[in-house]
Amino acid sequence: MTFFKTIKYCLTVVLMVMLVNICDSAYADGMGYSVQAVIPENQIDQSKTYFDLKMTPEQTQNIELEIKSSSEEVLNLAVVPYIGTTNQNGELEYSVEPEKNDSTLIYPITRLISGKQKVTLKPKETKRVTFRLKMPKKAFEGKIVGGFNVYDEANDTIKDSESKKNEVQIKNVFSVVIGIQLRENLDKIKPELKLNTVKAGLFNYRTAITANIQNIKSEFVSDLSLTAKIRKNGSSKVLYEAEKSEMAMAPNSNFNFPISLENQELEEGSYDLEIVAHSKDDEWTFTKKFRITDEEAARLNEEAVEVETKTNNKFLVITIAVVSLVFICMIVLIIVLWRRKK
């Protein structure tokens, strides 16, 4: 483990601080502004404080947000629409741009809504920001979801010097998110989960097996719980297992569910993964075979922090055995000498 990797791991703990609120008048604590959705007439439920709109194919509409400053200083804010995703903790996320959209997501909301806007607010000033929404020509079933992320650009990043060895960029983002959900009918879609790739990797810089879980339907999955077990091919002995509940998934999204190896070394070999998933109304069972190569295991073990190697364990066992033997010999010697003296 290099010094840089250790520092990088430590800093990762405080890498990002995110405040996400979907409420009536979302307020960024300490940031000096609040954000409120201007609810239109085609809101499905007028009591909701985020956008939940009944739309038709090719319909165009203006979407407005009201931003109010409570600061004594000028604020330079960014208002950015994002698609709804599921993060690695099994939580709904409306403020991160994924590296790649889910393969089942036909209509990302960012393609239907006009792009990022910048807003300057004088002290105590209130402004409305307008986005243009245009629905696709073809009708769709289910929900298209996303959120408007509002943040102060002055706090977007902590600037550091030019990239050098052993330097890590730290990003702090304090933001308010107002959700948006688009529907063309109120029919409920039955969620459907799928197990995709299973592979060895690192989770928080520790050895793990990750299983990609995908929601292939345009409906939320709520109250999701997962139980995973890993065995060697042909064995009934469970080597590693993980369980997590109270998760949720956005429509047409996926995330990597980690099964921690508890700081144990990754070992080359063929394995079986079994996952049982429960939601509020449904249950799914998945099994999948996967393999870890020598090259993968060696590389990931080298990159991991606090990994307990077999070499270390063997050395520990030998050390304990030697110390125990010496201790026993000392006891025997003391008893022999005492008897002779007596």
Side-chain angles (χ1 to χ4, degrees), residues 1 65 145 181 284 317 319-320 339:
M1 181 59 56
L65 297 171
V145 300
Q181 177 173 270
W284 301 268
V317 170
T319 302
I320 292 174
R339 286 183 175 178

Side-chain angles (χ1 to χ4, degrees), residues 282-295:
D282 300 284
E283 178 178 327
W284 301 268
T285 300
F286 307 108
T287 57
K288 200 175 188 73
K289 297 181 183 298
F290 67 99
R291 180 169 178 78
I292 302 174
T293 66
D294 278 327
E295 293 77 9

Side-chain angles (χ1 to χ4, degrees), residues 11-19 93 95-96 156 169-174:
L11 289 177
T12 300
V13 178
V14 292
L15 187 64
M16 179 177 288
V17 179
M18 178 71 68
L19 300 176
E93 182 70 72
S95 56
V96 173
D156 191 6
Q169 182 180 6
I170 304 174
K171 183 176 182 181
N172 294 274
V173 179
F174 299 87

